[in-house]
Amino acid sequence: MNLDSSVSIENAKVRDADKKCVFRVAVLSVIKHDYVARGVASHPRFELVVVADDPGVQDWVHERNQLFAEEKKIPYVRNVEQALKDYAIDVAVISTEAERHCDLSIRAANLGVHVVQDKPMSNRLSECDLLVEAVQRNGVRFMMWSRNMLPAILQATEIIRSGQIGSPNSIHVDFYFSKDAGPPKGSRKAGDPPIPWLDFQRAAHIDGSDGAIGTQPMGELQNEGVYALAYIKQIMDCEFLRVFARTTAAFHQVNVDNGVEDFATVSLELSDGMIATMAVGRIGAASHPDIGEIKLLITGTEGALVVAESRPEVGVYYRGQPGKEFRHQRVAIDNDFLLMDNFARAIDDGGTTLLDVHASRMITATILAALRSARSGRFEAID
Amino acid sequence: MIRLALIGGGWQAAHQLAQAILRFRELSITAIVPEHGDTEGEEIVRASDGSIVVSTLDTLLAEYSDTFDAAIVRSHLSRRVSVACLVARAGKHVLVQSPMASSSEEATRLLNACNSAGVKLMVGCSWRFRPSIVAVKRALESGKLGRPIFLRIHAWMPQVVSTSTTFLPELVELLDLSLWIYGELPNEIFGMAGPGYDMPGKQTSDLHSHLAFPSEGMALVSLTHSLCSSSGYNCLTLIGSSGAAYADDHNQSQLLYKGGQPAAIKTGEELQELIGLLREFTESIVQDRLSSLTSTEGKDALVLAEWVLKSATERHPIRRIGDLYEPRL
């Protein structure tokens, strides 16, 4: 994971190199987090020029792609390869169903196009391996989207890297989203059909909580767990070796009906003898006044560090405040720009990105090993 | 009036005990046995206004047995059970510092001694009486949080406070909290230690316990010995099926500015914790009932700690089959 001085906000903003060429960006399917495409476009060196997808995708996919293209006043092309060639694309940004991520990324890489991809990398390790090979063979840059440039995460990384707590020994990450995901567990009446996964995720698009969209149900470990593992990877600068995990569907009926977890606990063996734990899940809107408790606790040979990911934040309370409005608003966030600045630098210099193809593959492998451990009850090696 | 003998423990703890005693009409310290013949006891004598100070337990039991009704045993872990057994055989109720013994076999010996003598035995797991933890437990018991799904505890201790390289004393306290919250024994245990744990001549400062309960609940308990600070850091989060509670020193600290980076100053709860512990012990004697923290629970936490340490050493999970734990290879 490349985290050099480019992560410094001040350094990034004063670089004259920012005025280099502008990269032409294709949005390859934008059916879930359109904030990824918007985040890419937040950097002045990246310009969205076309939205594209395969002709055979379902109508609702075309509709979402079309809407985004109209908003951005760019064309929507129902042919990925044609769009990449006709519009002389430099960068593809992909935010679609998890099972299509790698396919679209590989096809872009094979045409010499750099890739920014939403999480997770894939829900199959074999797909990740194909993508790793394609990225290497074609010499393009790959970056998985993350929250690693949030102010608190940057601060934590800099404190650890500068040795202020000595050599790191352990890290714990809490990553609880306090959003609801439909009706609570136990709410399905006898005789009612189970909640269909894809239909539910499609409906959840309205509030942006459709990160696990796809035909194959995906639990919170595969969905939000990526963020927590990306934090551990960046801050501890380590490899993941073995994992023990427990999972449960304790909160939401849709998770129960589809056999995927909404909460997980993970113990990780890291390189150099370091250890990590994390707790990840969607714990319901009632369980936190804001978006959720996201916290990092790190110990080292000469000190320790407690970090609230949400800070800096501002409390705003007023008469008549809607119940669903967060009381605390995050401020000073520059995540999108800094991620894309890191990506631009990697393209310019031929270096690695913040969350490159190898780190992203390792995160996927770790999650799949954790799910395997949850079934076997064993301490599983990470492939 | 219940008259207490204080056996063992450092001056700082004894002084705090004297402060706590001041809140009770029905409780007094009447005798003190400092360990190692040190003079620390004289400080507590001054603080507790005229208690008897003797140099050995034998002297206390032989010459001053009629001066106390119950004893707080804070002796070193290696002597704790022996001391507590002698006190019990003298017909005195026992409040023994946690962990109650250095092994589950020793714990059984103490349990049997107290049962035979017909005296109360309470294990002093003080975390249960910490005001912030009490508030979390009350929220759970009120039903507001639903059923417990996940418990996370972090306890980081300064090096000067930590007296053990085995993690056992602190680990037992934290695991007791897990058992208290869930009200059942875990069916899966996984322990993991930080750098140096399995290297001869080296020590690790980090130990994680990962538990899974039959009710599908989980717990992560993390312990660190190496904090380079004058005070520790504690955090407990309980996520239930319909709510959550967060008791975190991060949110209970004040900022001190006096040059350089500001320091976080924790607002302590230790005295109130001790008052709660003493109140429960006293009331269990007066009301002739079991304490809310039974000696059996104290032993369960000790047994669990032994399995966590075994798992951390051997790096494989432990599972429960019936009443027995076994490695899951």
Side-chain angles (χ1 to χ4, degrees):
Chain A
M1 192 173 292
N2 176 27
L3 193 80
D4 57 21
S5 59
S6 67
V7 302
S8 161
I9 296 172
E10 294 307 316
N11 285 350
K13 286 185 172 172
V14 301
R15 272 194 296 118
D16 291 337
D18 290 353
K19 308 304 179 190
K20 284 182 181 174
C21 68
V22 171
F23 299 109
R24 295 171 61 80
V25 179
V27 181
L28 300 187
S29 204
V30 58
I31 66 164
K32 53 177 178 183
H33 299 140
D34 60 10
Y35 63 70
V36 178
R38 295 180 198 280
V40 169
S42 74
H43 194 290
R45 291 192 63 194
F46 295 87
E47 180 185 10
L48 306 185
V49 296
V50 68
V51 177
D53 210 331
D54 291 323
V57 298
Q58 294 184 39
D59 289 344
W60 66 271
V61 174
H62 284 309
E63 286 167 16
R64 287 190 183 176
N65 290 334
Q66 185 69 50
L67 274 174
F68 188 79
E70 287 173 3
E71 181 200 315
K72 293 295 178 187
K73 297 184 171 51
I74 55 179
Y76 174 43
V77 177
R78 298 187 180 206
N79 184 314
V80 169
E81 278 75 12
Q82 183 191 333
L84 295 177
K85 290 174 184 168
D86 290 354
Y87 288 85
I89 295 301
D90 303 301
V91 174
V93 53
I94 295 157
S95 180
T96 189
E97 303 99 314
E99 53 263 34
R100 294 181 65 212
H101 278 171
C102 280
D103 174 60
L104 288 170
S105 293
I106 290 167
R107 288 157 61 190
N110 284 341
L111 290 174
V113 172
H114 306 291
V115 175
V116 176
Q117 191 198 278
D118 201 357
K119 52 84 187 169
M121 190 180 199
S122 174
N123 44 18
R124 294 186 299 277
L125 202 55
S126 57
E127 296 269 311
C128 298
D129 289 334
L130 292 173
L131 178 53
V132 170
E133 188 275 330
V135 166
Q136 287 180 321
R137 176 166 42 81
N138 292 290
V140 296
R141 308 274 79 79
F142 173 94
M143 182 176 73
M144 187 159 66
W145 200 253
S146 71
R147 301 156 61 101
N148 282 18
M149 292 294 198
L150 288 174
I153 303 303
L154 279 178
Q155 190 177 22
T157 306
E158 288 169 0
I159 288 170
I160 301 303
R161 295 282 173 91
S162 64
Q164 291 183 55
I165 67 165
S167 302
N169 285 334
S170 76
I171 183 170
H172 171 81
V173 180
D174 282 331
F175 206 99
Y176 317 137
F177 265 145
S178 61
K179 281 184 177 176
D180 285 326
K185 178 181 180 179
S187 57
R188 181 153 66 92
K189 297 183 177 69
D192 284 355
I195 301 171
W197 183 261
L198 183 56
D199 291 351
F200 177 85
Q201 293 292 330
R202 283 177 58 189
H205 185 63
I206 193 164
D207 68 354
S209 57
D210 56 340
I213 197 165
T215 53
Q216 185 177 326
M218 198 166 68
E220 289 302 323
L221 200 50
Q222 284 185 289
N223 187 15
E224 308 300 350
V226 174
Y227 290 134
L229 287 166
Y231 290 166
I232 295 171
K233 171 67 179 159
Q234 173 170 301
I235 292 168
M236 305 296 271
D237 193 19
C238 62
E239 301 297 312
F240 303 154
L241 304 179
R242 288 191 290 176
V243 61
F244 176 80
R246 310 312 298 153
T247 60
T248 184
F251 299 97
H252 308 296
Q253 190 62 42
V254 65
N255 291 72
V256 176
D257 287 353
N258 290 277
V260 290
E261 80 285 346
D262 51 24
F263 196 87
T265 50
V266 177
S267 294
L268 265 176
E269 182 182 65
L270 310 179
S271 51
D272 300 323
M274 298 182 296
I275 55 178
T277 53
M278 62 184 209
V280 175
R282 184 173 296 217
I283 62 175
S287 296
H288 196 274
D290 302 313
I291 197 165
E293 183 84 345
I294 303 178
K295 199 149 208 167
L296 292 82
L297 299 99
I298 308 162
T299 66
T301 53
E302 296 169 26
L305 180 65
V306 180
V307 174
E309 189 228 42
S310 60
R311 297 177 188 175
E313 60 186 351
V314 172
V316 177
Y317 321 94
Y318 58 93
R319 188 180 301 157
Q321 192 167 16
K324 287 191 172 181
E325 183 173 290
F326 296 147
R327 266 57 177 165
H328 298 98
Q329 300 171 8
R330 293 170 173 228
V331 295
I333 295 173
D334 207 13
N335 189 61
D336 294 350
F337 174 84
L338 292 174
L339 284 177
M340 291 315 298
D341 201 64
N342 175 273
F343 194 65
R345 177 178 286 243
I347 295 173
D348 290 342
D349 302 343
T352 59
T353 65
L354 187 70
L355 211 55
D356 68 8
V357 74
H358 300 288
S360 303
R361 184 208 177 275
M362 185 172 72
I363 286 172
T364 304
T366 302
I367 289 168
L368 294 176
L371 292 171
R372 206 161 58 240
S373 172
R375 291 190 296 272
S376 71
R378 293 186 169 83
F379 196 26
E380 297 280 354
I382 296 164
D383 297 327
Chain B
M1 172 68 74
I2 295 174
R3 301 165 302 162
L4 287 176
L6 175 62
I7 303 169
W11 178 82
Q12 189 175 3
H15 181 74
Q16 199 167 48
L17 179 64
Q19 294 299 309
I21 291 283
L22 295 175
R23 272 84 174 162
F24 293 84
R25 293 180 196 282
E26 71 282 17
L27 204 57
S28 65
I29 302 174
T30 53
I32 296 171
V33 184
E35 289 203 309
H36 310 303
D38 59 27
T39 58
E40 293 175 348
E42 293 178 12
E43 299 284 350
I44 190 67
V45 170
R46 280 196 288 274
S48 58
D49 192 23
S51 303
I52 298 159
V53 179
V54 295
S55 58
T56 69
L57 178 62
D58 290 343
T59 307
L60 177 73
L61 295 177
E63 300 179 21
Y64 299 102
S65 185
D66 58 347
T67 64
F68 68 102
D69 311 299
I72 300 174
V73 178
R74 299 180 63 96
S75 305
H76 188 273
L77 185 56
S78 61
R79 298 186 300 278
R80 198 167 293 166
V81 168
S82 301
V83 170
C85 284
L86 287 171
V87 170
R89 286 183 195 123
K92 311 298 182 184
H93 304 294
V94 178
L95 173 57
V96 63
Q97 184 180 359
S98 176
M100 63 191 293
S102 59
S103 69
S104 48
E105 291 80 8
E106 283 280 279
T108 302
R109 187 159 76 88
L110 178 55
L111 275 169
N112 291 340
C114 290
N115 285 338
S116 300
V119 298
K120 305 284 182 197
L121 171 61
M122 179 172 166
V123 182
C125 291
S126 54
W127 274 63
R128 285 199 191 191
F129 299 94
R130 187 164 296 181
S132 53
I133 307 297
V134 169
V136 172
K137 185 68 156 63
R138 281 185 183 152
L140 178 67
E141 289 174 343
S142 72
K144 291 173 183 169
L145 306 184
R147 66 186 174 87
I149 303 298
F150 174 59
L151 173 69
R152 173 175 73 73
I153 308 171
H154 270 75
W156 293 349
M157 282 156 292
Q159 288 166 319
V160 290
V161 170
S162 174
T163 55
S164 170
T165 57
T166 67
F167 293 102
L168 191 71
E170 298 88 0
L171 182 61
V172 169
E173 279 261 0
L174 302 182
L175 294 176
D176 171 71
L177 275 189
S178 307
L179 300 180
W180 188 46
I181 292 290
Y182 280 100
E184 59 183 349
L185 291 168
N187 51 7
E188 292 181 87
I189 301 166
F190 183 65
M192 197 167 61
Y197 190 68
D198 51 0
M199 296 167 67
K202 283 205 164 190
Q203 293 174 3
T204 183
S205 56
D206 294 82
L207 180 72
H208 292 294
S209 309
H210 193 158
L211 311 175
F213 293 86
S215 58
E216 290 192 88
M218 312 168 201
L220 287 175
V221 177
S222 296
L223 193 53
T224 295
H225 270 170
S226 63
L227 211 58
C228 300
S229 164
S230 57
S231 63
Y233 166 78
N234 299 310
C235 175
L236 182 146
T237 295
L238 177 60
I239 296 174
S241 55
S242 59
Y246 308 89
D248 189 341
D249 283 352
H250 198 188
N251 303 323
Q252 294 162 7
S253 299
Q254 317 298 348
L255 293 177
L256 173 64
Y257 289 84
K258 56 173 192 176
Q261 291 289 329
I265 310 294
K266 191 164 71 172
T267 306
E269 304 178 75
E270 291 77 7
L271 183 59
Q272 295 302 318
E273 170 184 307
L274 186 55
I275 291 168
L277 177 68
L278 288 173
R279 179 164 290 125
E280 176 59 22
F281 181 54
T282 308
E283 290 180 358
S284 72
I285 294 171
V286 171
Q287 297 167 9
D288 191 23
R289 61 165 173 79
L290 284 175
S291 72
S292 64
L293 203 167
T294 68
S295 46
T296 306
E297 290 173 306
K299 184 184 168 188
D300 285 345
L302 183 57
V303 170
L304 184 53
E306 290 174 338
W307 281 107
V308 166
L309 292 170
K310 181 177 175 61
S311 176
T313 302
E314 299 177 1
R315 289 249 163 158
H316 51 62
I318 307 291
R319 64 177 170 179
R320 184 155 61 97
I321 306 286
D323 292 334
L324 300 175
Y325 286 106
E326 65 175 31
R328 187 164 202 163
L329 303 174

